[in-house]
Amino acid sequence: MLGNLSTRTRLMLLLVLAAIPALALTVYTSVTQRVAAASQAREDITSLARIGAQQQSQIVDGAKQLLIGFSLVPADMRNDRERCSEYVRQVLQKTAGLYSSMGLYGPDGDVKCAGSFLDRGAQRATESGQFAIGEYPRPPPSKPDGFTLNYPIVDAQRNMVDVAFVVLNLTEFGELAAKLPLPDATVLTVVDRNGIVLARTPGGNGFVGRKVEPAQVLENMLTGASGVFSGGSADGAQLYAWQSVNEMNGATAVRVLVGVPLSAVYAGANETLIKTLAGVLVVTLLLLVGAWYGVERFFLRNVRTLLSAANRIRAGDLGARTGMNYGNEELSRIGKAFDEMAETLHERQKRIDSAITTLQQQAITDALTGVNNRRYLYETLPREIVRAKRAGTTIGVVVIDLDHFKRINDSYGHEAGDMVLRWVGNVLLKSTRGSDIVCRYGGEEFCVVLPEVSSASVQAKADEIRRALMELNLDYCGKPLKITASFGAAIYPEHGEDADTLLRLADEALYRAKGAGRNRVEVYSREPAVQEVRLAATATERVAATSASPPSTASVSKIKTASFARAPQQPPLPVVQSDGAPDRAAALQVLTGPIVGKEFPLANVATSIGKAGDEIAMITRSAHGYFLTHVEGPRFPVVNGSTIESRARRLADHDVIEVAKVKIVFFYK
């Protein structure tokens, strides 16, 4: 019979048959969703009941604390009805209406001090000698406004003398319960030990004083401290959860009941079922229309692959790829373009991450010395002060200024000054602990933060660094350099309790060290003479700077000219000849990098000084002088800031060469 049908009809029948498992799966999924929805609803209302019980427990605890405070009132005041009533009145004013009444009654039940006692039958506190929660009044008054909580007051011999009570205002009690966020159609009820409603939300005061209905609900609530069950009500089948609020002696006095209609529980699953069934029918119709085009085989499979890869990339997995076989049809080309785009994004993200890491490091690091910069100091010093304040420890702040540093720059050039600053940074890093903070504070100023040290330790550490700087044997182009430094220190919290104050006081101590002759350590002192010393030091420094005599005019002029002026432009030279007497001896000195200050003599005819990729920089010695030669390249090496573009260039005394980002100075011995 099927053989008489057309291919299209047979395919349509196959699609209809294929839709039957989809319908079965939809029904199965709906049942599963209903089970999951019921399970989730049980968890949700159990959590709501627990939260409601915690709220009621807090209210009961608050009332208990209030009564405990009342019990601590002296006996003469409690026995004085007028004074006791005034005390109760003042307390009730402060509770914002949460309690409608408060007072004392004796063991016989007679009210002794203020208040309106609703629960005269609540003798649990009297009988047990412990805090007790009352119940809704029976028979209820014409306008019940609360239920009573009782706390026994005993004398020194543990004999009960009075019972303090407070009446919880049910109106305020209900408003507190109404503040709990409840899902739609969910009802929260608070009941006493007899199943009488104390508060209900939503529903208001109309249910207060009535017994919980139906009776099955109350019977289930009395079976334990908490639980979940299903039951019927006037509003249809409900899902209930209850949680008990216990007194100190373990008796259940208040319970919280949460109910939600089962129709609301299954509403989402029912809606999903309807939508899913409609979707299956629509998809079936679409498949019937598009069956001839092999949608599933040639389109949907690749689309799902693309969507999966897109979702992974959207989730942050930039390594996701489609894995499709690239061909000439449209989806294959889209897949190829997608993979190429993902690869580009991946590489770009790696570059961005690397750049961010580099920028973060550069933002807090001084590029010349390699130590932290002033910004890092201003960010970390306040945090260290907070940490020290919390731990009860101290912090030492030391400001360091190199003595007569300007003379080095004026006499030998800024390259020599930079070399000195790098050496100072190395000394500071080697002389401090890993927990200490070393920063370049200004031009020739540094700052060291020493956590958890005493004043004597700060001075000793500063003096240790001072001696280490004095012992440096620096050499710039064959000329020895000696440096000293002045130190000013301030201690937290002895001298100041914030970063600005500590830095300012350490700076004042630094000027005091300068005024006292430099090359010394001074710890801040509150003596009035400090300000005068600072002013005198400033004036002395200006006079010394103007009257200081540089080494020799000729040598200074030669060094500065060689350090900052470009070498004269010369035409390309032929291959260097080595005939004749060799030029006088020269050397190289490293200005940057891990071996700063290291000197290398140029003794051979040709010396290789660096390599980057296929490019080699070489210094050749001949009777005509020293020449820098290299394989052609636009960036390697650089002399005095200019890229070499000729095959050979003659070096002048004190030319600064940059090879692979390392600076080297050439000089004659």
Side-chain angles (χ1 to χ4, degrees):
M1 181 177 180
L2 291 176
N4 297 327
L5 299 177
S6 65
T7 303
R8 176 178 297 181
T9 304
R10 282 183 286 179
L11 181 59
M12 297 174 89
L13 288 176
L14 290 175
L15 289 175
V16 171
L17 292 175
I20 294 176
L23 293 174
L25 180 61
T26 300
V27 175
Y28 173 79
T29 302
S30 175
V31 173
T32 304
Q33 288 179 342
R34 288 171 65 88
V35 173
S39 177
Q40 184 63 46
R42 292 170 70 90
E43 293 179 5
D44 291 343
I45 65 172
T46 300
S47 178
L48 286 173
R50 188 179 301 111
I51 293 172
Q54 290 174 355
Q55 181 193 55
Q56 306 310 314
S57 179
Q58 291 173 358
I59 295 173
V60 171
D61 288 342
K64 182 179 179 181
Q65 295 302 320
L66 180 66
L67 293 176
I68 291 175
F70 194 9
S71 70
L72 298 177
V73 172
D76 57 344
M77 175 183 273
R78 296 199 310 270
N79 294 327
D80 186 338
R81 191 179 189 89
E82 183 176 349
R83 293 172 61 195
C84 181
S85 299
E86 178 61 19
Y87 169 82
V88 168
R89 185 186 64 80
Q90 294 178 2
V91 171
L92 292 177
Q93 284 181 346
K94 297 177 181 179
T95 60
L98 181 59
Y99 307 106
S100 61
S101 182
M102 179 178 176
L104 294 173
Y105 67 88
D108 56 357
D110 294 327
V111 177
K112 297 174 59 177
C113 169
S116 175
F117 185 46
L118 294 177
D119 192 6
R120 293 184 179 274
Q123 297 299 318
R124 293 178 179 82
T126 305
E127 296 170 356
S128 64
Q130 297 181 5
F131 174 75
I133 303 175
E135 56 195 43
Y136 192 84
R138 293 176 297 170
S142 59
K143 187 180 180 182
D145 61 352
F147 68 99
T148 308
L149 298 97
N150 309 273
Y151 186 82
I153 302 176
V154 298
D155 56 16
Q157 289 75 33
R158 309 299 297 174
N159 296 321
M160 186 181 305
V161 295
D162 292 312
V163 177
F165 71 91
V166 65
V167 179
L168 189 63
N169 189 336
L170 288 181
T171 301
E172 292 293 330
F173 184 75
E175 291 179 359
L176 289 175
K179 292 180 180 180
L180 284 175
L182 298 177
D184 293 340
T186 303
V187 176
L188 184 143
T189 308
V190 182
V191 300
D192 67 2
R193 61 173 51 87
N194 299 316
I196 303 299
V197 177
L198 301 177
R200 188 178 189 271
T201 179
N205 296 328
F207 292 86
V208 175
R210 295 164 53 180
K211 215 172 187 61
V212 173
E213 294 181 354
Q216 176 194 0
V217 174
L218 182 57
E219 292 174 0
N220 282 296
M221 289 175 60
L222 298 177
T223 58
S226 62
V228 181
F229 64 95
S230 300
S233 70
D235 298 327
Q238 300 269 334
L239 183 65
Y240 295 99
W242 84 93
Q243 183 71 38
S244 299
V245 180
N246 293 335
E247 297 184 41
M248 295 299 295
N249 58 7
T252 299
V254 178
R255 292 179 174 85
V256 175
L257 176 68
V258 178
V260 60
L262 289 176
S263 58
V265 172
Y266 297 131
N270 294 337
E271 182 180 358
T272 301
L273 174 62
I274 294 173
K275 291 182 178 179
T276 305
L277 289 174
V280 169
L281 293 175
V282 171
V283 169
T284 302
L285 292 175
L286 292 176
L287 288 175
L288 292 173
V289 174
W292 295 111
Y293 303 100
V295 175
E296 177 61 28
R297 178 175 178 81
F298 302 107
F299 182 76
L300 291 180
R301 182 173 58 186
N302 290 336
V303 168
R304 283 196 294 268
T305 301
L306 286 169
L307 288 177
S308 176
N311 288 331
R312 289 174 58 190
I313 290 178
R314 184 176 59 183
D317 181 11
L318 296 181
R321 301 293 182 268
T322 62
M324 296 172 56
N325 295 322
Y326 304 141
N328 294 325
E329 53 98 9
E330 288 77 4
L331 279 179
S332 295
R333 285 185 287 178
I334 292 174
K336 180 179 180 181
F338 183 94
D339 289 345
E340 292 174 351
M341 177 193 69
E343 182 66 26
T344 301
L345 289 175
H346 197 190
E347 293 299 323
R348 184 177 299 172
Q349 185 63 43
K350 289 194 294 187
R351 292 196 298 270
I352 291 173
D353 293 341
S354 177
I356 290 174
T357 302
T358 302
L359 289 174
Q360 288 174 342
Q361 187 62 31
Q362 291 176 349
I364 63 173
T365 303
D366 177 60
L368 177 63
T369 62
V371 302
N372 296 315
N373 58 16
R374 181 194 290 255
R375 175 180 177 181
Y376 183 78
L377 175 66
Y378 287 162
E379 289 178 354
T380 56
L381 182 54
R383 291 201 298 267
E384 290 295 327
I385 292 175
V386 172
R387 186 179 292 110
K389 183 176 182 180
R390 184 168 58 246
T393 57
T394 60
I395 297 177
V397 177
V398 181
V399 177
I400 307 166
D401 185 82
L402 301 183
D403 298 331
H404 305 300
F405 181 75
K406 187 173 183 297
R407 295 180 184 177
I408 297 176
N409 283 331
D410 292 343
S411 300
Y412 303 104
H414 288 282
E415 293 292 345
D418 290 347
M419 185 186 74
V420 170
L421 291 175
R422 283 189 286 270
W423 271 107
V424 171
N426 289 338
V427 170
L428 293 177
L429 291 175
K430 292 178 180 179
S431 302
T432 53
R433 304 167 299 178
S435 60
D436 299 336
I437 301 171
V438 179
C439 300
R440 186 180 179 189
Y441 192 49
E444 67 270 20
E445 286 188 326
F446 292 82
C447 182
V448 179
V449 178
L450 305 169
E452 301 181 9
V453 292
S454 63
S455 178
S457 299
V458 171
Q459 190 162 9
K461 175 56 72 173
D463 198 60
E464 175 189 334
I465 298 173
R466 182 188 65 81
R467 291 195 303 272
L469 294 177
M470 286 182 60
E471 294 171 358
L472 279 177
N473 294 318
L474 302 182
D475 178 276
Y476 181 75
C477 298
K479 297 177 176 60
L481 296 176
K482 297 296 291 185
I483 60 172
T484 61
S486 301
F487 295 72
I491 313 297
Y492 166 88
E494 178 181 350
H495 299 144
E497 296 187 355
D498 61 85
D500 292 337
T501 302
L502 289 173
L503 290 171
R504 177 174 56 81
L505 298 183
D507 193 54
E508 291 186 9
L510 171 64
Y511 276 91
R512 183 177 180 182
K514 287 184 176 181
R518 291 185 168 82
N519 192 22
R520 59 190 296 120
V521 178
E522 290 289 343
V523 179
Y524 173 75
S525 171
R526 291 189 172 88
E527 297 176 3
V530 172
Q531 183 67 18
E532 299 176 5
V533 170
R534 178 177 180 176
L535 296 176
T538 306
T540 303
E541 186 177 20
R542 287 198 297 269
V543 172
T546 56
S547 62
S549 57
S552 67
T553 306
S555 63
V556 171
S557 175
K558 179 181 179 183
I559 293 172
K560 292 181 66 177
T561 302
S563 298
F564 298 105
R566 292 187 177 182
Q569 297 294 328
Q570 300 177 358
L573 298 176
V575 177
V576 178
Q577 302 296 327
S578 59
D579 57 337
D583 196 20
R584 56 193 173 119
L588 299 176
Q589 186 175 11
V590 181
L591 298 180
T592 60
I595 56 173
V596 60
K598 185 72 173 178
E599 185 177 309
F600 298 94
L602 296 173
N604 301 322
V605 174
T607 303
S608 175
I609 63 171
K611 180 177 181 181
D614 295 331
E615 299 177 340
I616 300 176
M618 180 176 295
I619 293 181
T620 304
R621 178 183 179 185
S622 72
H624 303 286
Y626 287 86
F627 293 85
L628 180 64
T629 62
H630 72 107
V631 177
E632 292 293 336
R635 299 183 181 273
F636 180 83
V638 175
V639 177
N640 294 337
S642 299
T643 303
I644 296 179
E645 297 178 354
S646 62
R647 190 175 189 282
R649 175 171 182 167
R650 184 171 184 173
L651 292 173
D653 191 19
H654 294 89
D655 271 346
V656 177
I657 308 168
E658 183 177 344
V659 181
K661 299 184 179 179
V662 176
K663 289 186 178 181
I664 307 171
V665 61
F666 168 85
F667 66 96
Y668 284 104
K669 299 288 285 186

